[in-house]
C-alpha cells in the first residue's frame, strides 16, 4: 500500500487508520499493529511539529513475516537513531521531558533505519509478526 | 474533538478518557486538567481504562501535571489503565509513579 499526503496536523491519525486497514487485510497480529501504530504516529507527529516537511510518502508492506513501514519526507533531516537514549531509571520528578516519542519508536520496533538522499529523508520501521511484544504487566495485551 | 467525563467526589476529581490520546487529544486533556487544577481538589485521577492509545504528547501531559500537583502537595494519578496504556506506561518507565496502586 502506498500513500502520498501533505504533512498536516491530522496526518498521524489518518495514516494510523490506513495502517489498521492494511493490517486487517493481511491478518497481522494486534500486538504488531499496536507497536507500529505508536511508532508511525510518533514519527509523523514529529515531522509535522519539527521538520517543515510539506509532503510524506508512506509505504506499507508485509513480507516474510515482517511488516515494514517506509516513511519518506521532504523536510529537514533528523536522524532518529542519533537521539540520545532515554534513561527510564531516573525518578519521575527528575526525568527530562523530551525524547519520549523516539524512545517509544526504538523500544516498540525490531528494526529502525534512517537515511537521507536527494532531498528526501527515509525512515524504515520493521516489526516481526512473530516477535514478542513489549514487556507488560497485563496478560490480555495480545502477543503474536 | 472528544469530550471527557469529569466525576467529582469530595476533594477529588476523576477524568474519564474513552478515546485515543494523540497530539490533538493531548491538548484537550491539558485544557481539562488545567481547569480542574484551578479548583481546590486534592487528587486528580485519570481513568484510561477505555483508552487504547496514548502518544508521547499524552504521557508528557500526565508527567507535567503530576509534577505540578506534587509541588502543590496534591496528587495526579492514573486510576485505571487499559492494557495498551499500561504497556506504554511500563515502556516509558512511568508505570510505578503514575499508576495508582490497587489494593
Amino acid at each position: 500500500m502506498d500513500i502520498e499526503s501533505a504533512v498536516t496536523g491530522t496526518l498521524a491519525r489518518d495514516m494510523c487508520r490506513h495502517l489498521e486497514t492494511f493490517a486487517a487485510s493481511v491478518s497481522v497480529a494486534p500486538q504488531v499493529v499496536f507497536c507500529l501504530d505508536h511508532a508511525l504516529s510518533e514519527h509523523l507527529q514529529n515531522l509535522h511539529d519539527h521538520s517543515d516537511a510539506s509532503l510524506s510518502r508512506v509505504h506499507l508492506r508485509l513480507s516474510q513475516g515482517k511488516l515494514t513501514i517506509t516513511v519518506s519526507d521532504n523536510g529537514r533531516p533528523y536522524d532518529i537513531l542519533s537521539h540520545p537514549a532515554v534513561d527510564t531509571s531516573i525518578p519521575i520528578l527528575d526525568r527530562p521531558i523530551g525524547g519520549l516519542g523516539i524512545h517509544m519508536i526504538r523500544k516498540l520496533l525490531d528494526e529502525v533505519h534512517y537515511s537521507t538522499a536527494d532531498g528526501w529523508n527515509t525512515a524504515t520501521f520493521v516489526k516481526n509478526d512473530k516477535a514478542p511484544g513489549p514487556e507488560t504487566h497485563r496478560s490480555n495485551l495480545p502477543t503474536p | 474533538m472528544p469530550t471527557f467525563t469529569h466525576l467529582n467526589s469530595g476533594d477529588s476529581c476523576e477524568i474519564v478518557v474513552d478515546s485515543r490520546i494523540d497530539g490533538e487529544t493531548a491538548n484537550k486533556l491539558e485544557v481539562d486538567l488545567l481547569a480542574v487544577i484551578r479548583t481546590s481538589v486534592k487528587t486528580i485521577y485519570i481513568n484510561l481504562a477505555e483508552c487504547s492509545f496514548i502518544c508521547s504528547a499524552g504521557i508528557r501531559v500526565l508527567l507535567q501535571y503530576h509534577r505540578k500537583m506534587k509541588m502543590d502537595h496534591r496528587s495526579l494519578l492514573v486510576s485505571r489503565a487499559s492494557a495498551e496504556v499500561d504497556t506504554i506506561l511500563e515502556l516509558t518507565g512511568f508505570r510505578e509513579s503514575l499508576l495508582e496502586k490497587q489494593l
Side-chain angles (χ1 to χ4, degrees):
Chain A
M1 179 184 279
D2 289 291
I3 306 143
E4 184 170 296
S5 298
V7 177
T8 65
T10 61
L11 177 63
R13 188 181 296 184
D14 295 342
M15 283 299 167
C16 287
R17 284 201 196 100
H18 286 299
L19 168 63
E20 286 162 14
T21 302
F22 175 77
S25 72
V26 293
S27 300
V28 173
Q31 179 67 50
V32 173
V33 180
F34 166 82
C35 295
L36 285 166
D37 196 0
H38 275 83
L40 182 61
S41 177
E42 294 293 343
H43 184 62
L44 293 176
Q45 196 64 47
N46 279 341
L47 287 187
H48 175 258
D49 293 346
H50 306 298
S51 81
D52 286 334
S54 60
L55 199 61
S56 71
R57 296 172 182 154
V58 177
H59 176 70
L60 307 174
R61 182 167 65 103
L62 179 67
S63 176
Q64 298 179 328
K66 289 181 177 180
L67 207 160
T68 302
I69 302 179
T70 306
V71 182
S72 300
D73 72 87
N74 62 351
R76 280 197 308 276
Y78 183 76
D79 185 352
I80 51 182
L81 297 172
S82 69
H83 196 89
V86 168
D87 184 351
T88 57
S89 68
I90 297 174
I92 189 167
L93 298 180
D94 303 325
R95 284 265 300 269
I97 224 160
L100 282 175
I102 291 176
H103 172 76
M104 284 162 64
I105 291 172
R106 287 172 169 171
K107 290 290 180 184
L108 289 168
L109 301 177
D110 296 314
E111 295 175 39
V112 178
H113 307 280
Y114 189 89
S115 62
T116 297
D118 302 325
W120 284 84
N121 315 300
T122 302
T124 305
F125 303 143
V126 181
K127 187 68 183 174
N128 191 331
D129 196 18
K130 302 300 178 199
E135 287 180 20
T136 176
H137 287 257
R138 298 286 189 85
S139 58
N140 56 337
L141 190 63
T143 302
Chain B
M1 180 66 76
T3 303
F4 306 137
T5 305
H6 293 207
L7 304 171
N8 293 293
S9 173
D11 55 6
S12 70
C13 175
E14 184 174 45
I15 300 176
V16 182
V17 179
D18 59 2
S19 61
R20 287 168 65 101
I21 302 181
D22 55 20
E24 190 181 6
T25 322
N27 291 338
K28 161 71 175 152
L29 178 60
E30 182 169 20
V31 169
D32 275 36
L33 272 174
L34 281 168
V36 175
I37 285 170
R38 283 191 207 102
T39 69
S40 58
V41 297
K42 292 275 190 286
T43 308
I44 299 173
Y45 295 109
I46 314 290
N47 185 333
L48 301 176
E50 299 299 323
C51 172
S52 61
F53 181 100
I54 184 166
C55 70
S56 61
I59 297 287
R60 276 195 295 275
V61 168
L62 297 180
L63 177 59
Q64 184 176 346
Y65 292 101
H66 172 88
R67 287 174 172 175
K68 178 173 175 50
M69 290 289 281
K70 189 114 179 167
M71 285 171 62
D72 294 345
H73 305 288
R74 300 189 286 169
S75 64
L76 181 153
L77 294 168
V78 174
S79 53
R80 296 179 63 199
S82 64
E84 292 87 350
V85 169
D86 193 70
T87 298
I88 294 299
L89 289 177
E90 177 69 18
L91 194 75
T92 51
F94 295 125
R95 185 178 189 277
E96 202 63 26
S97 305
L98 287 180
L99 192 59
E100 187 189 25
K101 309 287 182 295
Q102 303 291 327
L103 296 176

